[in-house]
Amino acid sequence: MGLILWLIIGGVIGWIASMIMRTDAQQGIFLNIIVGIVGAFIGGLILSGGSINNAPLTLTSFIVSLLGAIILLAIVNLVRRGSVR
């Protein structure tokens, strides 16, 4: 059940982050899931000092994961285009 929840929540977080960063047309559901899961890990490392993937699903953990996904997309945009956008 945990893996299915990771995929669903990761997809939603990645999709919202891609809408905020205006990269939604460039990536599909698979990349949204990856961005959401990796973004949750990055957000957990930066803001919580550990992985947010082990925390229960709360509004705070959702926002931390979303911020991590936005940071990940900003880094990817910076490397690919030379600007955060």
Side-chain angles (χ1 to χ4, degrees):
M1 186 69 175
L3 178 65
I4 294 171
L5 194 59
W6 262 29
L7 295 175
I8 293 171
I9 299 300
V12 169
I13 289 172
W15 176 66
I16 293 171
S18 68
M19 297 271 292
I20 292 171
M21 295 299 292
R22 295 185 207 121
T23 60
D24 192 40
Q26 301 167 359
Q27 60 190 43
I29 183 110
F30 183 70
L31 283 176
N32 281 340
I33 292 171
I34 291 174
V35 165
I37 292 173
V38 173
F41 181 73
I42 291 172
L45 287 177
I46 293 173
L47 298 175
S48 301
S51 177
I52 197 75
N53 292 326
N54 296 331
L57 183 62
T58 62
L59 181 61
T60 305
S61 65
F62 188 84
I63 291 172
V64 167
S65 299
L66 181 61
L67 289 175
I70 291 171
I71 291 169
L72 176 64
L73 286 176
I75 292 170
V76 169
N77 283 341
L78 187 64
V79 169
R80 287 173 73 197
R81 296 190 186 108
S83 68
V84 174
R85 194 181 209 193

